[in-house]
Amino acid sequence: MEREMQPATHPGREVHLLRAVVHGWVQGVGYRDFVAREAGRLGLRGYVRNVSDGTVEVEAEGPRGDVERFLDLLRQGPPMAEVREVDHSLERGGGNFSRFELRW
């Protein structure tokens, strides 16, 4: 089951792709909803999902500045979460997503 967020576009702005794995106490504390809400606020496209090892996986694309702000938010998380570490990569390119989704 997937929940779709608003479609986002970035005409005239170079797109960057963030891939991240978030470690810590990040499942069962509203972390995915937080991520989806902040991605929507920034107009990013991609997805967030829980992984069976207790981490949260995120892919997000959009303008570099927005993606970097989003990475800072991933490190912070919602009040109930305890983020220990965010492994990530950031690269030019994207166009893989039409909206931001919560995945299960």
Side-chain angles (χ1 to χ4, degrees), residues 24-35 37 50 54 56 77-83:
W25 188 26
V26 291
Q27 291 190 13
V29 293
Y31 192 86
R32 282 183 309 150
D33 286 333
F34 167 82
V35 169
R37 184 174 54 253
N50 286 344
V56 171
M80 296 283 292
E82 291 181 22
V83 178

Side-chain angles (χ1 to χ4, degrees), residues 2-101:
E2 296 180 359
R3 188 170 92 192
E4 298 180 356
M5 304 301 286
Q6 300 268 101
T9 59
H10 306 285
R13 297 170 76 184
E14 186 176 37
V15 174
H16 284 74
L17 173 64
L18 170 70
R19 291 187 172 110
V21 177
V22 185
H23 302 265
W25 188 26
V26 291
Q27 291 190 13
V29 293
Y31 192 86
R32 282 183 309 150
D33 286 333
F34 167 82
V35 169
R37 184 174 54 253
E38 294 302 324
R41 188 178 63 79
L42 291 168
L44 302 178
R45 301 176 304 257
Y47 72 88
V48 59
R49 73 179 185 99
N50 286 344
V51 182
S52 61
D53 65 2
T55 62
V56 171
E57 178 182 85
V58 180
E59 287 196 18
E61 59 184 33
R64 184 179 182 109
D66 294 339
V67 171
E68 288 174 343
R69 279 189 286 284
F70 185 62
L71 178 58
D72 288 339
L73 291 165
L74 294 181
R75 291 179 175 128
Q76 176 186 344
M80 296 283 292
E82 291 181 22
V83 178
R84 281 196 330 263
E85 184 178 359
V86 179
D87 296 328
H88 70 280
S89 65
L90 182 61
E91 57 194 59
R92 283 188 183 158
N96 301 316
F97 306 102
S98 60
R99 66 190 56 82
F100 201 90
E101 303 170 344

